[in-house]
Structures are given as structure tokens and as C-alpha cells.
């Protein structure tokens, strides 16, 4: 009897082993660029500008590309932009996938156990509590605040231009960061940062400088970083967290300092919101709504604990603030690159002739919204997401995939722990979805019939991957959209932007987010110097 049991276990183990090896064999047959170094093409992908390496690979090999890792057995990375595969990983079967341990640890360093890093059922629970704060009516109530602070930005720029005979070169990144920080403070926390007013504060400096430190530390993946990513399935996340929490590296130390300041701020904000509830106040800022929803949840198991509440504040300060800020940079970049589109925007906004803008007014500007969608398509700030299947699984594919053997498959078996990069920027450039001019900035694609009937069922907004999709999609995407609509209306109607010699050198830096950085001038950090003129008629 005992021998029969051992025999059955041996047979079962052999079957599982063969299946795992079969899946790995299929992955090894996925086509991809050759390995010219011991570190494989992943080094080229991670060191270069966003899209510099992977967009040509997308055209040559298809929507699934294998990046070999010769130094690490089984460490190959799959770069995936196939719509059906993305929908499966992030929507249909999102619980079956987790984040890559290294990248998860990097984000967790700044945000803690919040919505950006929570996995599985913890993410679902947090999402349910936070969602009421980002309802449509709750967001629209902040439109006057959006215009108020966008007006402050316009006033600061007007003062600079007034002292320079109406035109000047302005590094818009610094000012966009101040604007977003003030807006996040007001709408999410009912807090006045005063960044646009020139207020000096350690937290302001920490928030403004944290990303530059991350660019210096992690934006361009060094050779060791490629190896660690390939090895991540063999290394416990606890080890990565320990290294980041105790590293003596001065750059990591600066990030931890920013994290600690953000945590202290979060403790004050959460304490204030809890006290307001006890006092019977009905404050309307988004964090108040979240804390109130959390406290009123009858099932204690579904509530967020204090650490998770603190992490939400840190997430909004870092991740939410950053994604909106960098999208503003790319909006201005495309305005400067395309004077004809800039003029059409001005004419459309001015023809509206509205003083007190409402959401319906913002939505009734077809070219402005087309311009915003095209910016989100061309420049998704969150350009990739790391994934690892928790068990052996099979990815469905939208298009047949030709393997190196010539075999054509319509679904891809992948083993547990397989390193996957969901290429959101690649999806946003698929020619079968967006047309043969997918790499061209063309807002008019959104105004005709060329995109009709091409829905993939993926994405939070307009078939775009820019806010991801499914349960792990950006919870604040509606907030971001309205804020960006207000930003375009306010700055495009009052100023004219054009390129400078320095801005022509701007590259799309690969980091935690996609950021503008000047080629050959790493010491300048995040930067976008544009020529700005008063143009308010």
C-alpha cells in the first residue's frame, strides 16, 4: 500500500515536472532580440529611452517578446502588449498574478502597504473603501479648486513673463510639480501646502526632490539591476525590503528621509480626519470621505487598519501626484511641438467663452479632449507594470504568435514565477488597434471613425492602457482627467509654448514613471525648458 502511494506521488511529480519544463520550453521559443552581452537585451530596454528599443521589437516580433537573460537560468523576461493577454492578467484573472518583488519593494519604500502595492484580496478590500472618495460628483465638486490653483500657476508665469518683456524660457517641470502638490493638498486632504506661493517646507522639498533621487538611483537600470530582476523569483521580497530599509547608499537614504516626512504628514492628516468624524463634521475632501467610509464599515474585517490608511496618504502624495504632474509635462511638450494643434486648442477654448466652467463645459470641447487622449496614448506615464503568475497558467492571445521554430500558437503556456513586463506603452502603439500612424501624435484620430469597432475591453478610459485596467487600474483616473482638462483650458488659452534647443534634447526617461530628462545632462534631473509667451488676447 505504502509503495503504491509513493509510486503515485512519483508519477504525479514527474507529470508536474514535465508540464513545467514544457511551459518553459514554450517560453524559450518565443522570439526576441539577440543577446549581444551576458546581460541580454533587458539591459538595452531598461537603460534606453521609453520605446527606443521595444517599439522596433514590437514591429519585428509581435505583441509578445522574449528578453533573454543568459546569466540567470530561467530568468528570461516576457515583454507583453497583446490586448487579450493584458486583459487576462489585469482583469479576468488578476488574482492569479502578483508584482515582481524588486519593483514592488521600490514602490513600497515610498508608499507603504497602500493601494499601489496591495495584492489580491487586500487590494480588493482597500479599493472598496477608497472608491467612494473618487465618485463623479465628489470629483466635480473640486473643479472650482482646480481652476483656482491653475489660475495661481498662470499668475506666477505671468509675473515671470511680465518681467521679461512677455516671453521667457521656463522649466515647466518645477511649476507643474508645485501646482499638483497644491491641488492634491487641497482636494485630497483639505491642506494648504502653499508651494505656488513660495512656502518653504521640508515636506515640499522632499516631495519635489524624491523623484529626482529615484531617477538618479533607479531610473537607468545598471547591470546588477537587470540580474536582480531576473533573480527576483528566487529571492524573498523580505530581502529586498530589508536592503532598501537599511542601505547606507546616500541616494536611498534621501528617499527614506522623504518617506519618513511623508509618513509624519500622513499621521497628522489621518488623526485630523478621525477627530473631525468624532466632532460630527462632514468635510468633503477625499481623504475625509475615505476615513469616514472606513469607520462606518460594519464589518471590521473589511476596514483598513491605521498603517493602510497612512499608506493611502503617502500613495496619493507620491504616486498620484507624480502621474498627473508628468502628464502635464508631456501635454506642454506636445503643445510646443505642434503649433497648429496649439492654435486649434486656443480657438476652441476661447470660442466657448465660459466664466464658471462646469464638467459639462469641459466635456463639450471635442478637440481639447482628443488632444488629451492622444497625449495619454503617446506618453503613458505608467509605461509598464511587472507581473508574475502565482501558478502555472496559460495566457490567451489576440493575434497568433509565431515561435522561433515556426510553430504558430494562439495561447501561451507560462510557468509559475515567470518574469513579465506588461508594456502599456507598447499596447498604446499597436498598429492593428491605432492605425499605421500609431507612432505619430495625431489628435484627429479620435474625431473620426477610424477607431470605431476596435474596442479591446482593456483599460479604464477610451481603450487606453494609460490608467491600466481592471481591479488594479488607477482608482483616481477620473480625478486625473478632470484636473488635466482644467489645466489645458487654463494654460493653453493664456500662454503660447514653443521648443527650445534644450527641449529638443528631451528624452522619455525610464524610471518608476516616464519622466522628461535631457539627453547628455543627467545632473539637471527631471526638466523640460520651454519658451513661454503671454498670449491671452
Amino acid at each position: 500500500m505504502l509503495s503504491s502511494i509513493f509510486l503515485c506521488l512519483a508519477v504525479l511529480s514527474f507529470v508536474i515536472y514535465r508540464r513545467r519544463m514544457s511551459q518553459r520550453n514554450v517560453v524559450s521559443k518565443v522570439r526576441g532580440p539577440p543577446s549581444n552581452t551576458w546581460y541580454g537585451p533587458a539591459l538595452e530596454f531598461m537603460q534606453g529611452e521609453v520605446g527606443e528599443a521595444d517599439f522596433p521589437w514590437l514591429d519585428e516580433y509581435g505583441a509578445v517578446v522574449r528578453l533573454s537573460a543568459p546569466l540567470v537560468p530561467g530568468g528570461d523576461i516576457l515583454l507583453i502588449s497583446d490586448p487579450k493577454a493584458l486583459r487576462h492578467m489585469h482583469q479576468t484573472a488578476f488574482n492569479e498574478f502578483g508584482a515582481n518583488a524588486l519593483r514592488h519593494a521600490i514602490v513600497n519604500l515610498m508608499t507603504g502597504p497602500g493601494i499601489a502595492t496591495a495584492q489580491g484580496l487586500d487590494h480588493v478590500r482597500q479599493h472598496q473603501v477608497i472608491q467612494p472618495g473618487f465618485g463623479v460628483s465628489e470629483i466635480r465638486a473640486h473643479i472650482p479648486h482646480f481652476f483656482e490653483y491653475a489660475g495661481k500657476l498662470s499668475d506666477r508665469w505671468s509675473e515671470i513673463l511680465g518681467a521679461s518683456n512677455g516671453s521667457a524660457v521656463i522649466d515647466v517641470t518645477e511649476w507643474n510639480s508645485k501646482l499638483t502638490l497644491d491641488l492634491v493638498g487641497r482636494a485630497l486632504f483639505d491642506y494648504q501646502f502653499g508651494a505656488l506661493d513660495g512656502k518653504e517646507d521640508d515636506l515640499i522639498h522632499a516631495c519635489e526632490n524624491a523623484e529626482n533621487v529615484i531617477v538618479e538611483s533607479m531610473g537607468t537600470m545598471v547591470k546588477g539591476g537587470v540580474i536582480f530582476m531576473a533573480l527576483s523569483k528566487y529571492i524573498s521580497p523580505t530581502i529586498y525590503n530589508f536592503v532598501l530599509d537599511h542601505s547606507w547608499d546616500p541616494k536611498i537614504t534621501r528617499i527614506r528621509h522623504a518617506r519618513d516626512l511623508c509618513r509624519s504628514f500622513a499621521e497628522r492628516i489621518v488623526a485630523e480626519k478621525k477627530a473631525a468624524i468624532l466632532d460630527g463634521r462632514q468635510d468633503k475632501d477625499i481623504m475625509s470621505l475615505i476615513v469616514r467610509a472606513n469607520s462606518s464599515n460594519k464589518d471590521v474585517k473589511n476596514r483598513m487598519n491605521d498603517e493602510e490608511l497612512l499608506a493611502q496618504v503617502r500613495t496619493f502624495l507620491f504616486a498620484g501626484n507624480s502621474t498627473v504632474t508628468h502628464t502635464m509635462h508631456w501635454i506642454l511638450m506636445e503643445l510646443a511641438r505642434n503649433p497648429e494643434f496649439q492654435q486649434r486648442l486656443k480657438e476652441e477654448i476661447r470660442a466657448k467663452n465660459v466664466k464658471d466652467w462646469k464638467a459639462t463645459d469641459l466635456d463639450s470641447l471635442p478637440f481639447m479632449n482628443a488632444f488629451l487622449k492622444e497625449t495619454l496614448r503617446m506618453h503613458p506615464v505608467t509605461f509598464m507594470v511587472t507581473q508574475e503568475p502565482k501558478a502555472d497558467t496559460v495566457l490567451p492571445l489576440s493575434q497568433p504568435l509565431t515561435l522561433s521554430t515556426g510553430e504558430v500558437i494562439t495561447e501561451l503556456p507560462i510557468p509559475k514565477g515567470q518574469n513579465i513586463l506588461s508594456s502599456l506603452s507598447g499596447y498604446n502603439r499597436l498598429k492593428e488597434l491605432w492605425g499605421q500612424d500609431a507612432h505619430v501624435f495625431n489628435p484627429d484620430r479620435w474625431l473620426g471613425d477610424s477607431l470605431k469597432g476596435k474596442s479591446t475591453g482593456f483599460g479604464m478610459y477610451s481603450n487606453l492602457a494609460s490608467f491600466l485596467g481592471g481591479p488594479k487600474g488607477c482608482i483616481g483616473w477620473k480625478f486625473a482627467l478632470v484636473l488635466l482638462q482644467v489645466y489645458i483650458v487654463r494654460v493653453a488659452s493664456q500662454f503660447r509654448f514653443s521648443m527650445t534647443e534644450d527641449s529638443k534634447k528631451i528624452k522619455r526617461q525610464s524610471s518608476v514613471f516616464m519622466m522628461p530628462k535631457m539627453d547628455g545632462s543627467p545632473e539637471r534631473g527631471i526638466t523640460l525648458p520651454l519658451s513661454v509667451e503671454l498670449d491671452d488676447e
Side-chain angles (χ1 to χ4, degrees):
M1 179 67 178
L2 192 60
S3 60
S4 298
I5 293 174
F6 279 124
L7 178 61
C8 290
L9 288 174
V11 171
L12 180 61
S13 299
F14 179 74
V15 170
I16 293 173
Y17 171 79
R18 287 295 302 271
R19 184 185 178 199
R20 293 291 299 278
M21 292 308 296
S22 173
Q23 287 173 315
R24 292 196 186 281
N25 286 338
V26 174
V27 169
S28 69
K29 296 174 186 174
V30 173
R31 296 182 303 149
S35 298
N36 297 321
T37 71
W38 283 106
Y39 302 95
L43 183 65
E44 179 184 356
F45 170 69
M46 293 175 182
Q47 281 188 330
E49 181 183 13
V50 175
E52 183 179 18
D54 48 312
F55 289 166
W57 295 340
L58 179 68
D59 290 338
E60 183 174 356
Y61 303 112
V64 180
V65 179
R66 180 174 63 89
L67 307 181
S68 59
L71 284 177
V72 181
D76 291 356
I77 299 169
L78 289 178
L79 185 66
I80 298 179
S81 52
D82 181 273
K84 189 177 286 188
L86 292 177
R87 188 171 70 241
H88 180 81
M89 289 188 291
H90 297 283
Q91 294 178 205
T92 310
F94 84 99
N95 256 337
E96 299 174 12
F97 293 81
N100 173 275
L102 174 59
R103 196 169 178 86
H104 183 274
I106 292 171
V107 177
N108 185 69
L109 177 64
M110 277 300 295
T111 67
I115 193 74
T117 57
Q119 301 293 312
L121 295 178
D122 282 338
H123 185 276
V124 173
R125 175 174 52 82
Q126 291 189 24
H127 191 281
Q128 289 173 342
V129 176
I130 295 171
Q131 185 60 53
F134 288 97
V136 173
S137 59
E138 286 75 14
I139 292 169
R140 289 181 173 181
H142 291 288
I143 289 178
H145 301 141
F146 294 167
F147 271 103
E148 175 190 352
Y149 284 97
K152 274 192 176 184
L153 173 70
S154 296
D155 291 343
R156 299 292 90 80
W157 283 357
S158 295
E159 291 167 4
I160 294 171
L161 300 178
S164 306
N165 296 319
S167 67
V169 174
I170 297 177
D171 186 348
V172 296
T173 59
E174 174 188 355
W175 291 97
N176 286 339
S177 178
K178 292 178 185 294
L179 169 63
T180 311
L181 186 60
D182 278 352
L183 280 169
V184 166
R186 179 64 181 85
L188 271 74
F189 311 129
D190 193 21
Y191 182 86
Q192 306 290 334
F193 279 110
L196 284 171
D197 295 324
K199 181 179 177 182
E200 295 293 327
D201 184 274
D202 286 344
L203 179 60
I204 291 176
H205 289 305
C207 290
E208 291 177 345
N209 295 330
E211 284 188 310
N212 271 320
V213 179
I214 290 173
V215 170
E216 294 170 23
S217 307
M218 306 160 191
T220 301
M221 293 291 284
V222 295
K223 295 174 181 178
V226 174
I227 297 173
F228 277 124
M229 183 169 184
L231 283 171
S232 62
K233 62 183 174 182
Y234 304 114
I235 300 176
S236 168
T238 305
I239 295 176
Y240 285 125
N241 290 329
F242 179 85
V243 171
L244 291 174
D245 281 336
H246 298 88
S247 171
W248 292 351
D249 183 284
K251 295 171 183 175
I252 302 297
T253 301
R254 287 162 62 192
I255 295 176
R256 288 202 302 266
H257 175 64
R259 174 200 63 186
D260 294 342
L261 288 173
C262 288
R263 181 184 173 86
S264 297
F265 173 78
E267 289 172 344
R268 180 173 34 156
I269 290 296
V270 170
E272 289 176 358
K273 303 313 172 190
K274 288 184 175 181
I277 293 173
L278 293 176
D279 291 341
R281 298 208 316 264
Q282 297 289 315
D283 296 340
K284 300 298 184 183
D285 62 279
I286 289 173
M287 199 63 204
S288 289
L289 297 175
I290 292 171
V291 173
R292 193 154 58 242
N294 191 57
S295 300
S296 63
N297 197 318
K298 295 179 180 179
D299 190 343
V300 177
K301 293 183 297 183
N302 290 330
R303 293 180 186 175
M304 289 189 286
N305 59 40
D306 284 348
E307 276 300 313
E308 290 171 330
L309 284 172
L310 297 178
Q312 309 315 329
V313 177
R314 290 162 58 187
T315 299
F316 297 151
L317 271 176
F318 176 63
N321 178 38
S322 298
T323 51
V324 172
T325 300
H326 293 306
T327 304
M328 289 176 175
H329 305 337
W330 299 119
I331 285 171
L332 297 189
M333 184 75 156
E334 291 298 348
L335 284 175
R337 280 176 172 166
N338 299 281
E340 69 282 9
F341 294 152
Q342 187 172 179
Q343 185 59 35
R344 284 173 65 182
L345 261 179
K346 290 178 182 296
E347 292 172 359
E348 181 179 71
I349 294 167
R350 290 168 179 170
K352 192 71 178 173
N353 194 27
V354 174
K355 289 187 178 180
D356 297 318
W357 288 81
K358 304 289 190 298
T360 51
D361 298 316
L362 296 169
D363 291 338
S364 68
L365 297 171
F367 187 73
M368 185 273 286
N369 284 289
F371 186 93
L372 175 54
K373 290 176 184 177
E374 188 69 350
T375 303
L376 291 169
R377 186 186 73 83
M378 291 287 287
H379 306 289
V381 172
T382 303
F383 62 96
M384 70 173 180
V385 177
T386 61
Q387 294 288 104
E388 291 180 358
K390 299 175 183 177
D392 297 348
T393 189
V394 177
L395 287 182
L397 301 173
S398 299
Q399 299 288 333
L401 182 68
T402 303
L403 302 178
S404 59
T405 59
E407 179 186 358
V408 178
I409 60 174
T410 56
E411 57 182 20
L412 176 62
I414 53 174
K416 174 183 177 180
Q418 172 65 53
N419 276 315
I420 297 173
L421 293 178
S422 294
S423 176
L424 309 186
S425 54
Y427 167 93
N428 279 359
R429 300 290 187 96
L430 290 174
K431 291 180 179 178
E432 59 266 29
L433 183 59
W434 306 105
Q436 291 302 306
D437 66 341
H439 295 299
V440 177
F441 187 88
N442 176 23
D444 286 315
R445 79 175 72 251
W446 298 94
L447 301 177
D449 296 331
S450 62
L451 299 182
K452 289 185 177 180
K454 292 188 177 182
S455 175
T456 63
F458 179 65
M460 308 294 288
Y461 172 66
S462 292
N463 221 29
L464 292 165
S466 309
F467 297 110
L468 202 53
K472 295 216 70 174
C474 175
I475 198 166
W477 70 272
K478 294 175 185 175
F479 178 92
L481 276 180
V482 176
L483 197 162
L484 293 169
Q485 286 177 319
V486 171
Y487 179 76
I488 294 174
V489 164
R490 197 67 177 84
V491 302
S493 62
Q494 189 169 352
F495 304 100
R496 187 171 297 277
F497 304 90
S498 53
M499 300 292 286
T500 64
E501 289 305 311
D502 279 346
S503 61
K504 292 175 183 177
K505 303 174 187 174
I506 291 296
K507 300 292 185 181
R508 307 192 315 165
Q509 173 68 50
S510 170
S511 184
V512 175
F513 303 111
M514 184 174 70
M515 310 169 178
K517 194 172 181 183
M518 191 178 301
D519 192 27
S521 302
E523 73 283 353
R524 296 182 65 167
I526 302 167
T527 185
L528 179 57
L530 295 176
S531 176
V532 185
E533 300 176 62
L534 280 169
D535 187 26
D536 54 5
E537 294 189 343

